[in-house]
Amino acid sequence: MSSGFWLAHCLLTTPRARKGFNLLSMLGAHKDVAMDGTRDRNIFGAFALMIGDDIVRASSSRAPEAGPAASALALLAHKPGLSIRMLAVGVGLSHAGAVRLVDRLATEGLIERREHSTDGRTRSLYLTRAGKIASDKVLASRDQVIAEGLSILKPRELKILCDIAERVLRSRLESLEQSYRICRLCCYEGCTNCPIDAELLERGVDRENDDDG
Amino acid sequence: MSSGFWLAHCLLTTPRARKGFNLLSMLGAHKDVAMDGTRDRNIFGAFALMIGDDIVRASSSRAPEAGPAASALALLAHKPGLSIRMLAVGVGLSHAGAVRLVDRLATEGLIERREHSTDGRTRSLYLTRAGKIASDKVLASRDQVIAEGLSILKPRELKILCDIAERVLRSRLESLEQSYRICRLCCYEGCTNCPIDAELLERGVDRENDDDG
DNA sequence: TTATAGTATATGCGCCACGCATACACTTAT
DNA sequence: ATAAGTGTATGCGTGGCGCATATACTATAA
């Protein structure tokens, strides 16, 4: 069997050939046999999933309960006075679920409901002192897990990665609600010149002075 | 008030000054006022969390039920014959939870339990034809969401990002069990020359020919 | 001003996935 | 052969969640 025949045979019979791979891409590629980027996306997806899982696991392990409690604490540290409605969106819960979450966290003395300054319906949520401590623990463990994950990267690579992250974040930003989800575990003090805020401002939304929370 | 006094004043009184920022880092940095990387980690964390959330949401929205079902289908497409024990680890469920998940998916005709070739205790799990279709939908939506997320990047940046991802994945790999979690939503055909497999092999673990699944 | 619609929060209710503990089947070591 | 270890299955209780609804308040319109 000639090598040419073998190549053609493979191209026609392997699963890879049937999934859109072609001769040109096979001849032109070095490490990545398929130049269509499937492998890149696969590996990057695993990477993002691993880091994301680590972030969620590390942060919620420091929270008083599993699930969205960690995000709620961090979000309230970021934006004191948040309403229950926006909290619900930020942590990805239904409104009723958020009310119950606030109930539990309030019972534990971590957050408190106050009257809204202008709207009698809205409750403004604030961290208590104990809540601030809990939130700090959550954020610290998140920061640590990211630092560990990226510890093998050189400072220059970190910069490149951060630059890419920043541009992707800005381009994929859809709405104010989504911005709360994205930033739900971010550290306020650490996010100097936050790209999400900047992008929202460019679009005419001022998240920082948004008193409806 | 001289500018020098003003600078010193800020350094001593702003929250930023109290959190480890110093004069040197302020003078030396351009965009990132703090050179300690806090902002980089913050932004990258938001980035990873957003992509990770998108992956989970997109894939599980194509699955017959929310939660770990999508991961289970993808994992079984990747490794047919997987045991319930390893499936449980891969999708992050207790053993009992995995048994129930398998019950539901089997009732829906998506997977089936077969006898293990050598071990009478172990059940080998396989996708049915319908399960393969469902799994393909899950993987396709994952691939699409990643492609959309990275669509603004130039091919060269994609390569850099993938290279970083690959190295971080290999360096952060801890165990065979963790590798199943990391790859739980990966596409088998798309992951040519899988870095996780390569890393495991270097460490003397052969995930591909692991019949205990 | 009054009436109506819209919005924010709270709650009754039921569901279902989950984990713990246990039981059973089978394998491996002594 | 007995004991210990491992994989799977199940009874049971728990708890967070969403749906639908009730209540309070705001905003708009006649």
Side-chain angles (χ1 to χ4, degrees):
Chain A
M1 187 189 288
S2 76
S3 67
F5 180 87
W6 179 85
L7 180 58
H9 175 76
C10 285
L11 287 174
L12 292 174
T13 55
T14 62
R16 203 156 288 148
R18 276 181 263 113
K19 288 184 78 71
F21 293 65
N22 58 50
L23 186 59
L24 272 178
S25 70
M26 285 195 69
L27 293 177
H30 303 280
K31 287 176 65 179
D32 189 352
V33 178
M35 286 275 295
D36 63 354
T38 298
R39 180 174 183 273
D40 289 347
R41 290 194 296 276
N42 226 4
I43 291 175
F44 171 73
F47 170 61
L49 199 60
M50 180 188 71
I51 303 284
D53 284 351
D54 283 348
I55 289 175
V56 170
R57 177 159 19 90
S59 56
S60 69
S61 76
R62 305 285 177 170
E65 65 178 59
S71 310
L73 292 173
L75 212 44
L76 287 177
H78 193 123
K79 276 202 67 67
L82 205 66
S83 70
I84 287 190
R85 168 140 218 94
M86 291 306 284
L87 181 71
V89 176
V91 302
L93 242 52
S94 74
H95 200 116
V99 172
R100 265 56 188 269
L101 176 59
V102 169
D103 285 343
R104 296 194 297 273
L105 293 178
T107 303
E108 298 196 59
L110 298 174
I111 69 179
E112 57 183 13
R113 289 180 235 241
R114 299 187 197 155
E115 305 286 314
H116 191 272
S117 52
T118 61
D119 193 326
R121 301 166 296 182
T122 306
R123 308 289 173 174
S124 291
L125 303 174
Y126 292 89
L127 291 178
T128 63
R129 186 155 310 189
K132 182 72 172 73
I133 293 175
S135 165
D136 285 342
K137 278 200 234 170
V138 166
L139 293 177
S141 76
R142 168 184 179 268
D143 189 66
Q144 186 190 345
V145 96
I146 296 173
E148 286 171 2
L150 303 181
S151 56
I152 62 154
L153 298 182
K154 295 186 280 278
R156 196 175 143 276
E157 291 173 320
L158 258 178
K159 273 289 167 226
I160 294 174
L161 187 57
C162 178
D163 174 67
I164 289 178
E166 188 164 339
R167 281 160 47 217
V168 170
L169 278 174
R170 292 182 73 138
S171 81
R172 301 303 299 169
L173 181 60
E174 292 172 359
S175 62
L176 179 64
E177 287 77 16
Q178 189 211 21
S179 81
Y180 284 108
R181 278 200 304 274
I182 293 174
C183 299
R184 70 182 188 271
L185 283 169
C186 278
C187 173
Y188 176 69
E189 284 89 3
C191 208
T192 50
N193 193 17
C194 169
I196 301 291
D197 277 336
E199 182 68 25
L200 286 173
L201 267 181
E202 272 189 20
R203 302 186 191 179
V205 185
D206 186 359
R207 189 169 63 163
E208 289 311 304
N209 300 325
D210 195 8
D211 65 339
D212 74 344
Chain B
M1 187 189 292
S2 76
S3 67
F5 181 87
W6 179 86
L7 181 58
H9 176 76
C10 285
L11 288 174
L12 292 173
T13 54
T14 62
R16 204 155 287 146
R18 275 181 264 112
K19 288 185 77 70
F21 294 65
N22 58 50
L23 186 60
L24 273 177
S25 70
M26 285 195 70
L27 294 176
H30 303 280
K31 288 173 66 178
D32 188 353
V33 178
M35 287 275 294
D36 62 354
T38 299
R39 180 174 184 270
D40 290 347
R41 289 195 296 277
N42 226 4
I43 291 176
F44 170 74
F47 170 62
L49 199 61
M50 181 187 73
I51 303 284
D53 284 351
D54 284 348
I55 289 175
V56 170
R57 176 158 19 89
S59 56
S60 69
S61 75
R62 305 285 177 170
E65 65 178 59
S71 310
L73 292 173
L75 213 43
L76 287 176
H78 194 122
K79 277 201 67 67
L82 205 67
S83 70
I84 287 190
R85 170 139 215 94
M86 290 308 283
L87 181 72
V89 176
V91 302
L93 242 52
S94 75
H95 201 116
V99 171
R100 265 58 187 268
L101 175 60
V102 169
D103 285 344
R104 297 193 297 272
L105 294 178
T107 303
E108 297 196 60
L110 298 174
I111 70 179
E112 56 183 14
R113 288 181 236 241
R114 299 186 198 158
E115 305 287 314
H116 191 271
S117 52
T118 61
D119 193 326
R121 300 165 296 181
T122 307
R123 308 290 174 176
S124 290
L125 303 173
Y126 293 89
L127 291 179
T128 64
R129 186 154 311 187
K132 182 73 172 73
I133 294 175
S135 165
D136 285 343
K137 278 199 235 171
V138 166
L139 293 178
S141 76
R142 168 183 180 269
D143 189 66
Q144 186 191 345
V145 97
I146 296 174
E148 286 171 2
L150 303 182
S151 57
I152 62 155
L153 297 183
K154 295 188 278 278
R156 195 174 143 279
E157 292 174 318
L158 258 179
K159 272 291 169 226
I160 294 174
L161 186 57
C162 177
D163 174 68
I164 289 178
E166 189 165 338
R167 281 162 46 218
V168 170
L169 279 175
R170 293 182 73 138
S171 80
R172 300 304 299 170
L173 181 59
E174 291 172 358
S175 62
L176 179 65
E177 287 76 17
Q178 189 211 22
S179 80
Y180 284 108
R181 279 201 303 273
I182 293 174
C183 298
R184 69 182 189 271
L185 283 169
C186 278
C187 172
Y188 175 68
E189 284 89 3
C191 208
T192 50
N193 194 16
C194 168
I196 300 290
D197 277 337
E199 183 68 25
L200 286 174
L201 267 180
E202 274 188 18
R203 301 185 191 180
V205 185
D206 186 359
R207 189 168 65 161
E208 290 309 305
N209 300 324
D210 195 7
D211 64 339
D212 74 344

